[in-house]
Amino acid sequence: MRHTDFNPDVDRLCLTDVLAALSDPLRVGLVRLLADGEERNFGEFAVPVAKSTLSHHLKVLNTAGLTWRREEGTRCYVRLRRDDVDARFPHLLDTVLAAADRDDVGHHVTGGARSIAGGG
């Protein structure tokens, strides 16, 4: 990934970074969940991985420019940068989300309380 800062400017989004971030089923699932436009707290994701692994996946999405990250005290909030990604790469997210829905990629990511043993 080329960016190390949070929330890179839209003109700095790189297609290969975005595609690399979307190459993992769990990250696709996170994007599917965030596609509703809602901002979510880190703890609202129910995923079959440990908290540290979820943190890594959210960082990859943010570093690629797919999500906005906002910190408030000890809490971290994320939302999909739909408008920015669509402006930079028209129809990319629509295509990815439609394919993910069709192929059932990322279905294991849901909203709600985390319920994975050891995942905190």
Side-chain angles (χ1 to χ4, degrees):
M1 296 289 157
R2 297 171 193 219
H3 310 296
T4 57
D5 57 333
F6 293 123
N7 311 322
D9 292 333
V10 67
D11 62 338
R12 293 187 54 216
L13 302 185
C14 174
L15 179 63
T16 55
D17 291 346
V18 169
L19 293 176
L22 293 171
S23 68
D24 183 275
L26 191 132
R27 291 192 293 263
V28 170
L30 292 168
V31 169
R32 285 179 75 176
L33 188 61
L34 292 168
D36 66 4
E38 296 294 318
E39 181 179 70
R40 287 192 168 72
N41 178 286
F42 180 95
E44 292 180 49
F45 297 105
V47 294
V49 296
K51 185 177 178 181
S52 60
T53 302
L54 173 60
S55 179
H56 165 75
H57 285 293
L58 289 169
K59 182 179 179 180
V60 169
L61 291 172
N62 183 257
T63 302
L66 286 162
T67 60
W68 278 107
R69 177 177 166 173
R70 178 177 67 86
E71 294 180 0
E72 187 174 291
T74 59
R75 295 180 183 242
C76 181
Y77 297 88
V78 295
R79 69 176 171 82
L80 188 63
R81 292 178 67 179
R82 183 65 181 251
D83 292 341
D84 289 344
V85 175
D86 286 346
R88 181 80 168 147
F89 310 112
H91 310 292
L92 177 66
L93 283 177
D94 289 336
T95 302
V96 168
L97 291 169
D101 193 42
R102 181 192 65 232
D103 296 346
D104 203 23
V105 175
H107 68 279
H108 57 295
V109 176
T110 61
R114 291 178 44 83
S115 59
I116 304 305

